[in-house]
Amino acid sequence: MEEELKCPVCGSLFREPIILPCSHNVCLPCARTIAVQTPDGEQHLTQPLLLSRGSGLPAGAAAAPPQDHEAAPGPASSGAGGSAAGGLGGGAGGCGDHADKLSLYSETDSGYGSYTPSLKSPNGVRVLPMVPAPPGSSAAAARGAACSTLSSSSSSSITCPQCHRSASLDHRGLRGFQRNRLLEAIVQRYQQGRGAAAGASAAPAVAICQLCDRTPPEPAATLCEQCDVLYCAACQLKCHPSRGPFAKHRLVQPPPLPPASAEAASVPAGVAQGAPSGGASCKSPGGAGAGAAGSSAARKFPTCPEHEMENYSMYCVSCRTPVCYLCLEEGRHGKHEVKPLGAMWKQHKAQLSQALNGVSDKAKEAKEFLVQLKNILQQIQENGLDYEACLVAQCDALVDALTRQKAKLLTKVTKEREHKLKMVWDQINHCTLKLRQSTGLMEYCLEVIKENDPAGFLQISDALIKRVQVSQEQWVKGALEPKVSAEFDLTLDSEPLLQAIHQLDFLQMKCRVPPVPLLQLEKCCTRNNSVTLAWRMPPFTHSPVDGYILELDDGAGGQFREVYVGKETLCTIDGLHFNSTYNARVKAFNSSGVGPYSKTVVLQTSDVAWFTFDPNSGHRDIILSNDNQTATCSSYDDRVVLGTAAFSKGVHYWELHVDRYDNHPDPAFGVARASVVKDMMLGKDDKAWAMYVDNNRSWFMHCNSHTNRTEGGVCKGATVGVLLDLNKHTLTFYINGQQQGPTAFSHVDGVFMPALSLNRNVQVTLHTGLEVPTSLGRPKLSGN
């Protein structure tokens, strides 16, 4: 887990970590070293000229040719030390200048920019040089000026050292990024646990000034809660006077440092271990951060950066960040979707825990796989020795003529064994590395889950969930299967005559038909009227496989038929009958022939159909909502939409609830073929059978023919039931539980889908998963 707790810039444990817009973390002191800005003297320059200059030039200096000829795709990258392409000088026009303008409009507007890592800086990160002290000023004042300029400059940017994405800083500078207090607490607990294990028991130390130029630095006298910086009395008067923009800042007494940070507190600024080249050190305020001081002190929960005196209380779903109540009343989150902070905390914890289960299963499989590989090593050794002994016996039987050939054959066996051993060791090393990475990530995530800081957890939960999912996906298909077998596929032919001794050689094992495939029952499943089957070949299979043949019966115990032929080992078959039992089997084939069938697996399709409206089949004027269960229309003309289920056999029932009914429209309910016309009322062509209804009566319609007029219409709140009986070839409708009369199909064969036509004056909601009516009265519901 220690790798998860190290800063990517300095390589040490995080100190005052902040969360970048890309969800990665970096120490706040390290962020100051990699954040760059445009000098004030260049603010008035035109954009192409500004892009062609290096970030390290002082204000007013002339533009110099770039040293590393890195491309500068935008202002963010230019601030990171990039320059225009090597062929462009001084912001000249041409193709390169046009490319810079394109980059400006495509990347800077979003706050991100591309970045090419420098080969001259540690970890591929550009480091901001120390600001030279102005004449007549102290080094401390120069440092204060640098921090002040970095915080107030509107053209500053920072590049993530991990993904190399660049983000612009606002008027608050680095303080505009959220503090990762959850990670900070985990680092502190990790340091304390490591110190306890080593027997460290140092007394609490006093925090030191962060801007002091004395050696050693003076003890800190005050801590600014807004700047989160420690000052001694002298530096506080120089860098943080109690007037002007600092008049509203709150100065408090610095808390004592924990024992684990006492040693770090005594390290002078600029010489902390792991500091990147470029001058500045990754030393936190007071050594370990004033905000996380003392194991006995209560942890300071984060406050809203926009409203510093308010705690987080809600979670903005649109922006994926915790917010306070003032953000909802005054800020930009007023019209966003928000949810309770505690509920989202529990939800994201559950998602992370669920994702961890998958990684945990893969880690368990990896451990078992390593045991299997080690057993293969032993088997290879034993089988190799046995084969050598057999080979020696056969060669000795051929007397003197076999002596020379015997040594040659032994060499081939040894090479084969070394090749197998090398491949297995390579697999062991590769799998061990992946397992160590996954285990470290798991331990870190478990520590995160233990935390009771909802806001801190939600700051990093999305990124952690994605990392865990990516970690699970790295165990790709075949990653936990041996690449070689322990068997030696060599056969010595000892029958040839003495004249053929000098041509004696190994014969590769003859190609045979593939063995029986193994069905993976844990991956076989059914959904509605579709089934999914998965299979694999048994381990240590020597025969090649060109493809597989999947066979399925008719669902009624009839003959098998081929439903799939190909190389994939996963197949989904759609369009089966509901409430039916299917038998499936698979076999493999190669150039030598077809192998035997696998065991037969029995699959049961759903008793009732669960489906929604199909957004791909509906007219473009149809508007779907409520997870595609509610439909309305933007046009005054009738438009058709189909359901996602397809029926060819059995009895099926569903209902449609009328949510809105204005100006007496004529919605139509029924079934249709997939090729039904979508821009007119359902039933006007020969591909649909429907009942259209107004507020007083209903008619059955097919091929634009109106029949079976029945009294009784619909209104807002009415329920229309559709009963499709493909065994009796009837289509029956119900309005509020009252039967509207059975209707016979004119075409009884084929596949039918639930269908609906409506205009903008009506809205309906679909309810599926219902039992077939037991009588002609109100149908019995089993779900909605």
Side-chain angles (χ1 to χ4, degrees):
M1 184 180 67
E2 185 173 352
E3 295 180 2
E4 300 286 338
L5 306 180
K6 289 184 177 180
C7 173
V9 177
C10 63
S12 302
L13 295 178
F14 280 108
R15 301 183 181 94
E16 297 182 90
I18 60 174
I19 305 175
L20 301 180
C22 57
S23 298
H24 290 128
N25 300 283
V26 67
C27 295
L28 178 59
C30 292
R32 295 192 182 104
T33 67
I34 63 176
V36 293
Q37 60 195 23
T38 302
D40 295 337
E42 295 184 354
Q43 298 294 336
H44 66 280
L45 298 180
T46 59
Q47 189 64 32
L49 182 59
L50 184 61
L51 291 176
S52 66
R53 301 188 59 176
S55 65
L57 295 177
Q67 300 299 323
D68 51 2
H69 301 287
E70 293 183 9
S77 297
S78 176
S83 61
L88 299 176
C95 179
D97 185 39
H98 179 65
D100 281 341
K101 292 180 180 178
L102 289 179
S103 178
L104 169 65
Y105 288 105
S106 62
E107 294 176 350
T108 307
D109 293 344
S110 64
Y112 287 91
S114 59
Y115 170 75
T116 304
S118 172
L119 299 179
K120 299 179 180 181
S121 57
N123 298 329
V125 181
R126 289 189 174 275
V127 179
L128 179 66
M130 293 296 292
V131 178
S137 63
S138 65
R143 288 180 192 150
C147 294
S148 176
T149 303
L150 187 60
S151 299
S152 62
S153 174
S154 61
S155 59
S156 299
S157 64
I158 185 171
T159 301
C160 176
Q162 290 183 275
C163 63
H164 304 300
R165 298 182 70 181
S166 180
S168 300
L169 276 63
D170 59 13
H171 64 282
R172 296 171 297 173
L174 294 175
R175 298 299 173 184
F177 296 127
Q178 293 182 347
R179 181 89 162 265
N180 194 339
R181 299 184 183 274
L182 195 66
L183 176 58
E184 191 172 3
I186 294 175
V187 170
Q188 181 182 357
R189 187 167 63 246
Y190 178 78
Q191 288 178 323
Q192 292 174 350
R194 187 172 58 177
S201 59
V206 178
I208 61 174
C209 176
Q210 292 180 262
L211 300 179
C212 214
D213 56 354
R214 298 176 179 85
T215 304
E218 292 290 330
T222 58
L223 165 67
C224 177
E225 288 190 339
Q226 283 70 33
C227 300
D228 203 6
V229 175
L230 294 164
Y231 302 92
C232 65
C235 292
Q236 189 261 325
L237 294 175
K238 291 180 182 179
C239 305
H240 198 286
S242 300
R243 61 181 182 275
F246 300 109
K248 296 183 180 180
H249 287 201
R250 183 181 178 186
L251 301 176
V252 296
Q253 289 293 331
L257 293 181
S261 304
E263 182 180 354
S266 63
V267 180
V271 297
Q273 182 179 3
S277 60
S281 162
C282 185
K283 180 175 67 62
S284 64
S295 59
S296 61
R299 184 187 307 168
K300 178 182 176 183
F301 286 93
T303 58
C304 177
E306 300 288 343
H307 311 91
E308 297 179 351
M309 302 303 295
E310 299 297 334
N311 292 327
Y312 292 120
S313 59
M314 301 294 288
Y315 180 78
C316 179
V317 179
S318 303
C319 301
R320 296 180 178 271
T321 182
V323 295
C324 70
Y325 80 97
L326 288 180
C327 293
L328 304 181
E329 294 182 357
E330 306 171 0
R332 57 188 176 89
H333 304 279
K335 297 183 180 180
H336 291 180
E337 180 185 359
V338 295
K339 292 185 178 180
L341 189 67
M344 293 302 296
W345 175 39
K346 294 180 181 179
Q347 178 182 341
H348 282 223
K349 269 197 173 185
Q351 291 178 358
L352 180 57
S353 299
Q354 185 178 3
L356 278 176
N357 289 337
V359 179
S360 177
D361 293 340
K362 292 299 181 182
K364 181 179 179 181
E365 292 181 17
K367 291 180 180 179
E368 296 175 352
F369 179 59
L370 287 174
V371 174
Q372 181 183 0
L373 290 177
K374 292 178 181 179
N375 292 335
I376 292 177
L377 285 175
Q378 183 178 358
Q379 293 177 12
I380 290 175
Q381 294 283 8
E382 294 175 354
N383 293 341
L385 294 174
D386 292 343
Y387 199 86
E388 287 180 1
C390 179
L391 180 61
V392 170
Q394 286 181 322
C395 291
D396 288 342
L398 297 178
V399 201
D400 297 336
L402 298 177
T403 302
R404 298 176 184 175
Q405 197 70 13
K406 178 176 65 175
K408 185 178 180 180
L409 296 175
L410 285 172
T411 301
K412 289 189 175 183
V413 174
T414 302
K415 288 182 178 180
E416 179 70 7
R417 183 183 64 210
E418 292 176 350
H419 172 69
K420 288 179 177 288
L421 291 174
K422 182 180 181 302
M423 292 190 67
V424 175
W425 273 117
D426 289 344
Q427 265 194 292
I428 289 177
N429 294 334
H430 183 66
C431 184
T432 301
L433 177 62
K434 283 188 175 181
L435 178 61
R436 181 173 62 84
Q437 294 173 348
S438 297
T439 303
L441 179 59
M442 287 171 55
E443 293 176 355
Y444 171 61
C445 292
L446 290 175
E447 290 296 325
V448 170
I449 292 177
K450 293 178 183 177
E451 290 299 313
N452 294 321
D453 183 356
F457 178 85
L458 291 174
Q459 288 174 347
I460 63 173
S461 58
D462 286 323
L464 274 182
I465 292 171
K466 292 179 181 178
R467 288 189 59 194
V468 170
Q469 292 172 347
V470 171
S471 177
Q472 181 178 359
E473 293 171 358
Q474 75 173 350
W475 300 97
V476 296
K477 175 183 175 182
L480 298 181
E481 295 181 1
K483 293 183 179 180
V484 296
S485 67
E487 302 295 330
F488 283 69
D489 300 335
L490 304 171
T491 301
L492 181 64
D493 185 9
S494 58
E495 298 298 329
L497 298 175
L498 184 61
Q499 293 82 356
I501 288 180
H502 295 289
Q503 299 178 357
L504 187 64
D505 200 350
F506 288 110
L507 295 178
Q508 295 295 329
M509 183 174 292
K510 295 181 179 179
C511 182
R512 298 177 296 188
V513 296
V516 178
L518 302 178
L519 287 169
Q520 296 181 279
L521 300 181
E522 68 278 5
K523 297 182 180 180
C524 298
C525 62
T526 62
R527 183 181 182 276
N528 266 348
N529 60 337
S530 65
V531 298
T532 299
L533 297 107
W535 60 89
R536 63 179 178 86
M537 295 304 293
F540 311 123
T541 299
H542 309 300
S543 301
V545 176
D546 295 337
Y548 302 92
I549 300 173
L550 176 62
E551 295 183 355
L552 207 67
D553 67 358
D554 59 359
Q559 293 184 348
F560 283 89
R561 58 187 177 88
E562 293 183 1
V563 295
Y564 170 76
V565 178
K567 295 183 178 181
E568 298 296 328
T569 58
L570 182 70
C571 181
T572 298
I573 302 100
D574 299 316
L576 303 178
H577 300 309
F578 283 91
N579 195 23
S580 299
T581 301
Y582 287 88
N583 297 308
R585 62 187 183 184
V586 65
K587 58 184 177 181
F589 64 87
N590 59 16
S591 57
S592 297
V594 179
Y597 285 107
S598 66
K599 293 182 179 179
T600 301
V601 61
V602 180
L603 300 168
Q604 173 73 40
T605 55
S606 300
D607 295 339
V608 294
W610 296 82
F611 59 91
T612 62
F613 292 119
D614 185 5
N616 298 320
S617 68
H619 192 277
R620 62 179 177 272
D621 293 336
I622 293 292
I623 301 174
L624 301 180
S625 60
N626 189 24
D627 294 332
N628 295 333
Q629 292 178 337
T630 299
T632 186
C633 182
S634 62
S635 172
Y636 285 104
D637 297 324
D638 293 302
R639 300 295 186 239
V640 174
V641 62
L642 303 178
T644 55
F647 306 117
S648 59
K649 177 184 176 182
V651 184
H652 311 279
Y653 179 77
W654 61 95
E655 289 184 344
L656 300 108
H657 184 268
V658 181
D659 303 324
R660 181 169 58 85
Y661 190 81
D662 305 328
N663 300 326
H664 310 300
D666 298 331
F669 312 90
V671 296
R673 309 282 194 187
S675 58
V676 65
V677 179
K678 307 291 177 38
D679 57 358
M680 62 183 182
M681 180 180 287
L682 189 70
K684 284 195 173 184
D685 63 353
D686 62 346
K687 300 295 191 301
W689 296 259
M691 174 190 71
Y692 79 94
V693 60
D694 59 15
N695 60 328
N696 293 318
R697 60 191 65 83
S698 62
W699 296 263
F700 180 78
M701 187 164 63
H702 174 64
C703 290
N704 205 19
S705 174
H706 306 252
T707 59
N708 291 4
R709 171 178 169 174
T710 306
E711 297 299 325
V714 296
C715 61
K716 180 179 178 181
T719 299
V720 177
V722 182
L723 174 62
L724 175 64
D725 190 342
L726 293 173
N727 298 331
K728 298 180 179 179
H729 313 305
T730 59
L731 183 63
T732 310
F733 299 96
Y734 298 86
I735 298 180
N736 294 329
Q738 299 299 320
Q739 181 180 341
Q740 297 299 105
T743 301
F745 277 107
S746 57
H747 298 281
V748 297
D749 297 326
V751 177
F752 303 90
M753 285 168 285
L756 166 72
S757 70
L758 68 166
N759 58 22
R760 70 181 302 173
N761 294 322
V762 63
Q763 175 179 304
V764 299
T765 297
L766 176 66
H767 298 273
T768 62
L770 308 179
E771 292 183 357
V772 176
T774 57
S775 65
L776 297 181
R778 178 68 177 171
K780 179 182 177 182
L781 306 184
S782 63
N784 51 35

